Amino acid sequence: MTAVAISATGLFTPAQSITNEELVTAFNAYVARHNAEHAADIAEGKRAALEPSNVEFIEKASGIKSRYVMNKEGVIDPARMTPIIAERPDTELSIMAEIGVAACKQALDRAGRSGKEIDAVICAASNMQRAYPAMAVEIQEALGSDGFAFDMNVACSSATFGIQTAADYIRAGHARSVLVVNPEITSGHLNWRDRDSHFIFGDVATAVLVESAEIAPKGSWAVLGTKLKTKFSNNIRNNFGFLNRAAPDQSVDWEEGKTDKLFVQEGRKVFKEVVPMVSDMILAHMAELKLSAEDLRRMWLHQANANMNRLISSRVLGRDATEDESPTVLDEYANTSSAGSIIAFHKHSADLQPGDRGLICSFGAGYSAGTVFVQKAA
Ligand code: COA
């Protein structure tokens, strides 16, 4: 079997960001407007008043301090609470492809490759802008690549599922250079009016160039092993889909309360169920690869919740991990779905030495989880 390597990564970070303070100010202005508008119903007990959010809760419960977004104006407008992203003509590159291409170009530059050398593009993300043609095919065209391209969605685990899929094509001899790209415009699926989750997500795009080790450039990462797992759960769900308009007794209500056509979760249950699932999976994969905690120089974990990562890393190491061993990017980026562990890897891997080993690990809706163990090559 052909050995596989990660040759380079790329990151696109949107220009605009929202602090918790700005977010909470907008949310609380929305709550005040909403409660004033429905004051009579609230007084008569026909409807519950909405509760305000607060910065201290957000930081303590999640570790998130800010998030990048493609459009700030719409999100922090209490009358809108949704990003403003104009539709583009079919003749223009779509916005999701645009940010994906930006991340891919950085990965290609870092590896010294041109788009022409890429055999396949996998667009792996938790939301696609349209049903078809695939975002991946649009990105492939923009990069000037030949070969094939397709979209895949495994929610927050899309990147690691994409890396294993790319690795399998290389192992089987179907491709030598595969770009896995994760454009995440999560601001489109986040319900900015929902107090329980309005602080969770941010926008970004990452790219991972997965290649045959034979052609990987100096300083690449050998892929020691990949593992994927899914287990059905309703605790993270989004019921938006092409059959929504066919339901006789439903219409999509974006304005009111919790809508199941945007992201919804039972955060407490997710926390409790996913921590053991992921730590057990990591430990089992380490045992299979004959790796002990001492062999692991760094963990680039999915970036959803700082407390969750603290627990997972301590179960894996048998002690608390330092920030150096398990770096955090969610304070600045929030949860960027599939891109989180890749941002952490992209920003916090340059200092590792040849022979150092690490773990890229994602987890999320499905439930789904993926582990990719890597070792810095000479
Ligand atoms: N501001 C102030 N208070 C808030 C609030 C907000 N924005 N949102 C919720 N609260 C309140 C709740 O109403 C609740 O009040 P109560 O105790 O009086 O009932 C209290 O804070 C605790 O809420 P809870 O939802 O249990 O908080 P939590 O500690 O579980 O933190 C999450 C919430 C979402 C941050 C956390 O559960 C989480 O991150 N879970 C994992 C999620 C995850 O990884 N998802 C993967 C997505 S891909």
Side-chain angles (χ1 to χ4, degrees), residues 214-236:
E214 286 165 10
I215 60 164
K218 202 174 149 44
S220 62
W221 296 81
V223 173
L224 301 177
T226 59
K227 207 61 121 187
L228 309 178
K229 187 173 175 62
T230 49
K231 182 174 172 19
F232 187 74
S233 168
N234 274 322
N235 290 333
I236 315 172

Side-chain angles (χ1 to χ4, degrees), residues 27 52-54 57-58 61-62 156 194-201 236 263 265-271 302 304-305 308 335 337 363-365:
F27 182 87
S53 182
N54 79 70
F57 169 82
I58 294 170
S62 70
C156 288
D194 174 28
R195 176 178 179 254
D196 289 344
S197 64
H198 76 112
F199 53 89
I200 286 182
F201 285 107
I236 315 172
F263 170 90
Q265 75 168 351
E266 295 280 349
R268 247 318 127 96
K269 288 187 186 160
V270 174
F271 197 112
H302 175 51
N305 182 300
M308 221 171 166
N335 181 347
S337 198
F363 40 87

